[in-house]
Amino acid sequence: YTAAEHARAWSAVQPLRDIESAAGSWQILGPVQQPQVLNTSQPNGMGRVNGLAFHPTNPDIYYAASASGGLWKTSNGGLAWQPLTDELPTLGTSSALVDPVNPSIVYLGTGDRDHNDAPGLGVMKSTDGGLTWSSANSGMGNAIVGDLLFPLNSSITLLAATNAGIYR
């Protein structure tokens, strides 16, 4: 980025600062029922969400990347969820990103960035809204992908922050 591009991007987000609220107005979307207690040494809970990704035009569609439970999708604002990655070789996910131009394209950052208990397989890509996946990690290998983003909301360049560096 040039200094002028950076200044334009900074100026574009400044009006959003005026709508922030220190108190917020949070409400739980679920789930709220704890899972059945198992007779194991493992703690029971809801699981950990590492990242969220949002459909660019439909606010009812979004994705949740979980630490060891794969990627989940809701099409009704969080009332019901569908697992999308049960067939992948790793269920650890840390990030997801929906293409702002073509929302059928979803990118998935694999591996658990926070606890390192699920292996990374780099970036996975879906062209059908998360129903099927293919590897998109050429040059990256099996890195843990902690975050994905399109600079300036353009789907031309994808950046991946990994445990092995930043990739483009």
Side-chain angles (χ1 to χ4, degrees), residues 1-166:
Y1 296 107
T2 66
E5 289 172 323
H6 182 74
R8 278 194 302 275
W10 178 255
S11 295
V13 298
Q14 290 312 300
L16 300 176
R17 294 175 53 113
D18 295 336
I19 63 173
E20 292 178 357
S21 167
S25 180
W26 293 92
Q27 63 183 9
I28 189 165
L29 294 178
V32 293
Q33 183 178 354
Q34 289 285 332
Q36 178 183 357
V37 176
L38 303 174
N39 291 327
T40 69
S41 61
Q42 295 295 312
N44 292 307
M46 299 300 184
R48 177 166 38 91
V49 174
N50 280 341
L52 298 171
F54 300 93
H55 191 283
T57 58
N58 186 339
D60 288 333
I61 298 175
Y62 46 98
Y63 300 81
S66 64
S68 60
L71 186 70
W72 294 74
K73 178 181 181 180
T74 182
S75 297
N76 59 8
L79 296 176
W81 292 86
Q82 170 189 9
L84 299 178
T85 55
D86 287 352
E87 303 303 318
L88 292 183
T90 184
L91 288 178
T93 61
S94 287
S95 57
L97 188 63
V98 180
D99 187 311
V101 177
N102 181 353
S104 294
I105 298 175
V106 179
Y107 293 93
L108 178 63
T110 63
D112 179 20
R113 69 171 180 239
D114 294 325
H115 197 265
N116 203 27
D117 62 352
L121 299 175
V123 175
M124 302 296 286
K125 179 180 180 180
S126 173
T127 58
D128 55 13
L131 298 177
T132 60
W133 296 93
S134 62
S135 177
N137 64 358
S138 178
M140 178 187 299
N142 292 337
I144 295 173
V145 181
D147 204 3
L148 295 165
L149 71 93
F150 291 117
L152 303 175
N153 208 31
S154 165
S155 61
I156 295 172
T157 302
L158 175 65
L159 296 177
T162 78
N163 65 329
I166 298 173

